[in-house]
Amino acid sequence: MRIAVTIFLTDETITPVRLARELERRGFAGMYLPEHTHIPVERTSPYPAGGELPREYGRTLDPFVALGQAAAVTERLGIGTGITLAAQHDPIDLAKQVATLDHLSGGRFTLGLGFGWNVEEAADHGVEWRTRRELVRDRMGLMRALWAEEPTAYEGEFGSVRASFAHPKPVQKPRGPVVGPRTLVGGAAGPKLFAHICEYADGWLPIGGRGLSQSLPVLRAAWADAGRDPAALQVVPYAVHPSAGKLAHYAELGIEEVVVQLPPAGEAEVLRALDAYQPFADAR
């Protein structure tokens, strides 16, 4: 089982370069970074985990810039977003960012997608909350057109692009309906989410990894009904606080990668957390 990490990197934490080098040296599989462009002070959206919103949410580094630094100082470490708030991006710009990072890293990039929880943040980007899932679906369709081998036009409900020359291309070749880098969708289990995964992704990023014994068979059935290759489905529990028992349970479910949570802290505290997680990485 591959062990990757996620962390809220901020202007107050360990740097992406220092962390990436340490992860590769220690044999961890990857580094995934979250995204928040800003956190409006006047906010009615509740923090999903409950209580006060942690300080790091308003100080998060841009994940693509930070991952570019990480890719530049490593050779094997996987890099990814966990997650990209695709509704808050211009899809033509995002397609270029994703393809460039994947190209320059030699195909090491994973695009983790999500729909968000902060209504006010999304609203400042012009996102209508009730249609955000369909907006993300539409933006993925447009990006897939730009990533296609031949110039391909796209006309969607929320956007369009002419048949265009758009390079570089992501390293991975198309697989079934999926075009672009490895793509995983985050969110709570349910028929709408699973439909999105089956339509344009390689798999699922379940936050925390709870309830997989019940939800995985449902996703696998939806995947099969969509005509996708059963062996190709990837499920990557995300932001996990690991234990030997938990990882053994995931292995029994056929899971091959887990992303564990690091504290949003300075170098000394983050390295102590890596020391605690090291036995899991060594046992993979």
Side-chain angles (χ1 to χ4, degrees):
M1 179 179 290
R2 300 187 303 276
I3 305 296
V5 307
T6 184
I7 182 174
F8 276 85
L9 287 180
T10 77
D11 56 323
E12 299 176 328
T13 68
I14 189 172
T15 67
V17 166
R18 179 71 176 95
L19 178 57
R21 284 175 167 154
E22 193 67 27
L23 290 171
E24 181 155 273
R25 184 184 73 81
R26 291 168 175 257
F28 285 85
M31 180 172 79
Y32 291 74
L33 300 181
E35 174 181 50
H36 283 285
T37 53
H38 66 299
I39 300 294
V41 174
E42 295 184 5
R43 178 176 55 83
T44 60
S45 300
Y47 175 43
E52 293 296 317
L53 185 69
R55 174 184 176 87
E56 60 266 20
Y57 277 74
R59 308 187 74 94
T60 309
L61 300 183
D62 179 281
F64 290 95
V65 175
L67 290 170
Q69 286 197 334
V73 298
T74 57
E75 297 179 351
R76 302 174 304 280
L77 186 73
I79 54 173
T81 53
I83 48 74
T84 295
L85 296 166
Q88 298 179 185
H89 287 265
D90 178 286
I92 298 174
D93 285 341
L94 182 59
K96 176 68 78 173
Q97 287 178 282
V98 167
T100 299
L101 185 51
D102 194 52
H103 169 74
L104 292 177
S105 67
R108 289 187 276 151
F109 181 66
T110 294
L111 176 61
L113 289 172
F115 307 104
W117 61 268
N118 191 325
V119 178
E120 292 76 24
E121 177 186 358
D124 283 348
H125 287 277
V127 176
E128 186 175 347
W129 193 249
R130 66 178 181 83
T131 59
R132 73 193 188 284
R133 291 177 182 271
E134 289 310 308
L135 175 59
V136 170
R137 176 179 178 271
D138 192 73
R139 289 189 168 167
M140 282 302 300
L142 191 154
M143 291 193 291
R144 291 202 308 271
L146 290 170
W147 293 332
E149 291 297 326
E150 298 297 329
T152 302
Y154 179 81
E155 185 71 37
E157 180 182 357
F158 299 95
S160 62
V161 68
R162 298 172 176 85
S164 303
F165 299 109
H167 292 268
K169 301 297 184 185
V171 173
Q172 280 202 60
K173 299 303 180 184
R175 50 231 177 259
V178 184
V179 179
R182 182 190 189 215
T183 301
L184 304 172
V185 182
K192 289 184 178 180
L193 178 77
F194 290 169
H196 279 261
I197 291 170
C198 295
E199 180 180 350
Y200 57 75
D202 295 295
W204 183 25
L205 275 176
I207 307 301
R210 297 183 186 88
L212 288 177
S213 297
Q214 293 74 41
S215 55
L216 262 183
V218 180
L219 173 56
R220 285 170 174 157
W223 187 266
D225 289 345
R228 303 291 300 273
D229 176 5
L233 176 62
Q234 301 178 47
V235 176
V236 182
Y238 189 82
V240 170
H241 295 280
S243 67
K246 190 180 293 185
L247 296 182
H249 173 61
Y250 293 154
E252 290 173 357
L253 295 174
I255 288 168
E256 297 179 347
E257 180 180 356
V258 174
V259 182
V260 301
Q261 182 72 60
L262 288 174
E267 182 173 315
E269 185 175 345
V270 169
L271 294 183
R272 284 195 296 271
L274 287 180
D275 288 340
Y277 293 162
Q278 190 71 59
F280 302 127
D282 292 341
R284 63 194 176 94

